[in-house]
Amino acid sequence: MWDRLLIDCHVATMDPTVAGPFGAIENGAIGIQDGRIVRVGRRTELAGYQAQSVEKLDGAWVTPGLVDCHTHLVFAGNRANEFEARLEGATYEEIAAAGGGILSTVRATRQASEAELAEASRPRLKALMAGGVTTLEIKSGYGLDVDAELRMLRAAGALGASERVRVARTLLALHALPPEFAERRHEFVELACGTMIPAAAREGLAEAVDAFCEGIGFTADEVDALFEAAAAHGLRVKLHAEQLSNLHGAKLAAEHHALSADHLEHLDEAGAATMAEAGMVAVLLPGAFYALKETRKPPVDLLRRHNVPMAVATDCNPGTSPVTSPTLMMSMACTLFGLTPEEALAGMTREGARALGLQDEIGTVTAGKAADLCVWRVERPAELCYWIGMPGPERRIVAGVDA
Ligand code: NIG
Ligand code: FE
């Protein structure tokens, strides 16, 4: 006897071993026991099974819960003033060079307590959840000193513990150079490698380490040192790479067996090839592309040709991607970057999970995985990408429980 049996539904399993678009099973059924999917198949195949609760979904589509694998959700303040300045012609790099940009959020974040950070960020988390997110990654990176970085990670943990959502945490140790280290870059990198990483690892506050490899961020050599330290402390790595220029960050990330390289507008063929060899995920972030009015798109055809899995994420952050809608990102991934709706949905489910190293646990509707599901009142899965600003799923299920 299972806990739950969902019937009268269609299932976009997103499982590549299920033939056909979206791995779809029409007239399907899903058995759930102890928070996990125990069986998924056609209703007729599951006819003999019983459950405490048999629920008819009136022909709705069920997908994996959405996985937002790249966010900077925790921060204080906002940067609507910079939005106005950019509309008047200032560029992101000019604003950063004048002490605004990331550093303006750093000033606000350093002044906030852990509880203040969590409460300032909770409405954004609720919005993502309402949009269908059941797992998200949250990065630090607006503290840029040991205490404030750890405080951000603790706030992210507190959010995950108090809401029905899974949170994966990333120490974004090299995001921007704080002003007090302006003349001492090397010492800041040493602080990140020698103090921030060991502290985050010791306290179990992060699973991965990230950096911003860019002209206005950090050099490949600095990132290399950071990634060495991450490996020494048992943390995975990932990288903001090739967003505004090509510093060959994707190749560097591949050399360190990174989970993903993210943004990638300026990725070249050699970079795509090394990502494929390293089994990395390309995380596409159409919100930042849109908000910065970029014209150079990530090389989607190249990624397809090299069989690099593509994830799609919100990059929810106060500067370049003030986005709280996962389905809007799926829509933009199709319209701006040329993904198919199936690729976009895979990007926010299966490949998002892979980008977090959680592909065995979540990301597809497959027996054995956690029962993280969304129930959508749509006639076909492509509608999730077609509607612009659609309301979220009718139901969200996390570990087998309606959330
Ligand atoms: O992913 N590129 C660096 N980090 C963020 C932007 C953060 C910010 O501007 O506050 C990004 O786009
Ligand atoms: Fe980012």
Side-chain angles (χ1 to χ4, degrees):
M1 177 82 100
W2 294 333
D3 294 337
R4 300 176 74 174
L5 178 59
L6 309 181
I7 61 167
D8 197 7
C9 59
H10 309 299
V11 188
T13 67
M14 306 313 290
D15 182 336
T17 67
V18 176
F22 299 93
I25 301 174
E26 302 213 11
N27 303 311
I30 303 170
I32 298 173
Q33 173 74 31
D34 295 328
R36 308 195 80 82
I37 299 161
V38 280
R39 188 78 195 261
V40 53
R42 292 184 73 86
R43 174 71 184 117
T44 46
E45 292 161 13
L46 276 70
Y49 292 92
Q50 289 183 342
Q52 307 271 0
S53 155
V54 178
E55 297 154 63
K56 288 191 179 169
L57 300 181
D58 298 322
W61 275 88
V62 181
T63 67
L66 303 185
V67 180
D68 190 356
C69 69
H70 180 141
T71 88
H72 308 249
L73 181 108
V74 168
F75 58 84
N78 74 66
R79 308 222 301 267
N81 58 334
E82 292 179 10
F83 171 65
E84 292 177 306
R86 283 207 312 275
L87 289 173
E88 282 169 17
T91 68
Y92 182 59
E93 280 136 312
E94 283 163 6
I95 291 170
I102 294 169
L103 290 181
S104 118
T105 301
V106 170
R107 286 190 288 276
T109 300
R110 283 181 172 177
Q111 284 170 22
S113 67
E114 180 189 321
E116 285 166 346
L117 282 174
E119 290 326 304
S121 308
R122 192 179 303 277
R124 297 187 280 275
L125 175 58
K126 294 261 198 199
L128 289 176
M129 290 165 61
V133 168
T134 52
T135 296
L136 80 162
E137 185 250 24
I138 301 179
K139 302 177 194 294
S140 65
Y142 293 119
L144 305 183
D145 65 39
V146 180
D147 284 352
E149 284 294 302
L150 300 185
R151 196 155 72 238
M152 286 186 73
L153 294 170
R154 288 196 196 97
L159 285 168
S162 59
E163 303 287 347
R164 285 206 62 85
V165 69
R166 298 177 202 269
V167 172
R169 292 178 292 180
T170 299
L171 174 68
L172 174 47
L174 298 183
H175 196 195
L177 188 67
E180 65 274 21
F181 283 91
E183 308 304 323
R184 301 180 289 145
R185 286 188 76 82
H186 186 65
E187 286 178 40
F188 183 68
V189 176
E190 272 178 13
L191 181 74
C193 297
T195 310
M196 287 182 195
I197 288 178
R202 186 170 54 240
E203 294 185 42
L205 293 174
E207 292 90 52
V209 171
D210 192 356
F212 185 27
C213 188
E214 191 59 66
I216 57 169
F218 292 86
T219 66
D221 284 346
E222 291 164 339
V223 174
D224 190 53
L226 185 81
F227 284 0
E228 293 283 337
H233 288 85
L235 300 176
R236 298 297 306 265
V237 298
K238 55 176 77 174
L239 190 61
H240 285 73
E242 276 71 291
Q243 180 185 12
L244 308 170
S245 63
N246 187 357
L247 299 188
H248 306 288
K251 178 166 177 283
L252 171 69
E255 285 161 7
H256 289 271
H257 313 288
L259 288 161
S260 67
D262 304 34
H263 287 288
L264 299 174
E265 279 79 349
H266 292 258
L267 181 73
D268 61 18
E269 173 124 35
T274 53
M275 287 181 70
E277 272 166 45
M280 286 167 62
V281 178
V283 179
L284 307 184
L285 303 168
F289 173 88
Y290 164 80
L292 293 177
K293 294 202 238 172
E294 295 287 352
T295 50
R296 182 164 171 146
K297 303 179 186 206
V300 165
D301 281 335
L302 198 58
L303 293 165
R304 283 191 189 118
R305 221 174 331 115
H306 286 273
N307 286 317
V308 179
M310 293 180 283
V312 175
T314 62
D315 197 12
C316 173
N317 78 63
T320 60
S321 191
V323 168
T324 55
S325 167
T327 48
L328 179 61
M329 292 305 96
M330 284 157 45
S331 168
M332 285 188 181
C334 295
T335 303
L336 299 177
F337 293 169
L339 267 63
T340 65
E342 185 179 0
E343 285 173 325
L345 182 55
M348 271 264 173
T349 54
R350 183 180 72 228
E351 308 309 351
R354 193 189 311 281
L356 297 177
L358 297 176
Q359 64 273 19
D360 295 333
E361 184 65 13
I362 55 169
T364 63
V365 185
T366 305
K369 288 196 184 181
D372 287 10
L373 306 166
C374 286
V375 179
W376 308 86
R377 189 58 51 196
V378 295
E379 285 171 27
R380 47 193 293 162
E383 276 186 61
L384 302 185
C385 304
Y386 156 80
W387 295 108
I388 299 175
M390 80 179 300
E394 196 171 84
R395 290 165 69 179
R396 242 177 103 251
I397 297 171
V398 178
V401 178
D402 274 69

